[in-house]
Amino acid sequence: MEHRTPGQDPGRLRAGAGGGPAPRDMAVDAAPLDTGAAPPSAPPAGPSTPGSGRSGSIATPSGDLPATGRATPPEPAAESESAREDAERAPGTPTDRLRYLEAATRRIAGGIDRDETLRELCRAAIPAFADAMLVHLREPPPTGDRPPDGPLALRLHSIAQGPEESVTGAPPGTADFVELTVTGPFAALLLAGRPVFGDAAETAPGVGALLEPVASMPPAPSPGRRLIIAPLHGRHQLLGTAALLRGTDRPAFTADDLLVASQLATHAAFGIDRAMLSGREASLADALQLTMLPSSLPAPTGVRLASRYLPAAETSQVGGDWYDAIPLPGNRVALVVGDVMGHSMTSAAIMGQLRTTVQTLAGLDLPPEEVLHHLDEQAQRLGSEHMATCLYAVYDPISQRLLVADAGHLPPVLLHPDGVGEVLRIPPGAPIGVGGVPFESVEMPAPTGATLLLYTDGLVESRTRDVWSGVELLRARLEAAASVVASPPLETLCDTVLTILGQGARDDDVALLAARFDGFPPRNVAYWFLNPEPRTAGRARQLTRRALHRWGLDPLLDTTELLVSEVVTNAVRYASRPIALRLLRTDVLRCEVGDDSPQVPRMRRAQAGDEGGRGLFLVDRLAQRWGATRLSNGKVVWFEQPIPEEFREHRAADP
């Protein structure tokens, strides 16, 4: 065959995207060889690569195992180098092919993701086994075990030609042929997962399009046995194809080379499959973690909230950090932060179950120590190996008090209105899941304008800083922020706090919940205790009328008196101790009636002859919202009515 320069011969492989010339003349448009007898695997003389006619080199990772596959003591330098060269040259004997495959598959298995696995495949195959290689991947990537719907679409992923440095992605300017659709016998052949020569009848329609990125292939003649098309078939699905080519200055591929190509492609496909599975698991773990965190924080009266959540730097290392803010009866709010020990999908799932349990227990309005006690019991049911830390605090804006219980968690930090930071002293309890350990609640003042910060250990602990040094740094950072701006906005304060993390990679999740205590003005609260007597309903109406007159809410008098009378009458029927009546004025008028009976009223439809049963029906029709909450010592029935804009108390804008 007449030799031409690559620029003159359209049938020759062009150089890789690196721009350099091809290392040798590799004509891929040569006529098919006689297939009656396989060509020799090696030339008469000289060292050779698997089935090749010249020496090649394949870089293998240091410390490769010998051909036996067993670990052996280190050899002398000369012997070790000789063994490596034998594995790389791998003449056409079965033993030498096994040595080559052992080194090549170890190299391919070293890839940690899809792209690195394919790079190692190209470097293992070139120049030891082939002169050029094109990798096409399915588009879109397959998912699950279902067969592909519609035509088989392939997109060029990378080209390898010549030295290792020439392993590149799809070269620029290949938009017109970077994606191809495979149908008919060629698609069936690829889906079957068997490597074939380029002269197979099934490949004829697709060879030209498959090789177009490296040569303008005419429809005929075929590259013949200088081309092997090896499907990259994973556990359940075809992931792509690898096209291996040889130039004219070395023998064509043999039937034994099909087995080598099959092994290379299989190991690469399994590596890609593992990377895809790992990516899907990491994505599911992240989605699971994020869906179990609050999508938004409530806006209860008397407290402002802000939060941050930062996952660990390693996506697959999803943790069990969580936070929550749960409105409670009487305008109180429960502030929760917790951390399930460990980093895994299981940790995230346990976190979701514990968070749900906390929300359920909070709805019962139990004291903090009781919430932690029942949470500890639930964790033990989930398994003794699952432990977590948790801090549960209840803020009451009316009494301006804070009730806190701790289960092995780091203490919260309180930034006082005067800018002084304080690490609160909370009796440390055992972590959730230990079992049999009592918990203790501590009550303390929560002054208006103070900011409470709840956090997980990922914020204050790192490889270079112990946890208590981090807590002290957090306190100092809060004081520094308050010295610049008095009562800094919560969002700004959260961003300032996160700066203690630095720029390095995070080993743990970070959960942060900040609460600014605004309190509840005493002038907007009316509170009475009434004995459960027949005349109590009338007395409740009188007290309600006085409070509404004082607040200038006369338009709400008639409706509110009627609703208060119905709810108090129902409480008198079941209560054995004094009834609590409380009115709260915010953007709405809220009425709460508490008694010691655990029986929660349910609305029912009264029959025509019934004397009662219509009270809650009236409440449901006339109130904007209403509800009943069972408490540890009884229940509270409440309802709300909207206050017209012109009658609302206009407060200063939130800072």
Side-chain angles (χ1 to χ4, degrees), residues 327-333 362-363 365 582 590 592 629 631 636 638:
L328 300 177
N331 284 85
R332 294 170 300 145
V333 60
D365 200 20
R582 184 163 71 172
R590 180 183 176 97
E592 298 175 352
T629 304
L631 308 179
V636 169
W638 57 269

Side-chain angles (χ1 to χ4, degrees), residues 14-97:
R14 296 199 297 270
R24 59 188 65 86
D25 186 20
M26 296 178 288
V28 295
D29 59 348
L33 299 176
D34 180 13
T35 58
S41 298
S48 65
T49 55
S52 72
R54 66 167 187 274
S55 62
S57 63
I58 172 171
T60 58
S62 61
D64 285 344
L65 295 176
T68 60
R70 297 189 299 270
T72 59
E75 301 175 350
E79 295 180 6
S80 178
E81 184 66 26
S82 174
R84 187 179 295 110
E85 290 177 356
D86 289 343
E88 292 173 350
R89 285 196 296 268
T93 66
T95 300
D96 291 333
R97 288 183 185 276

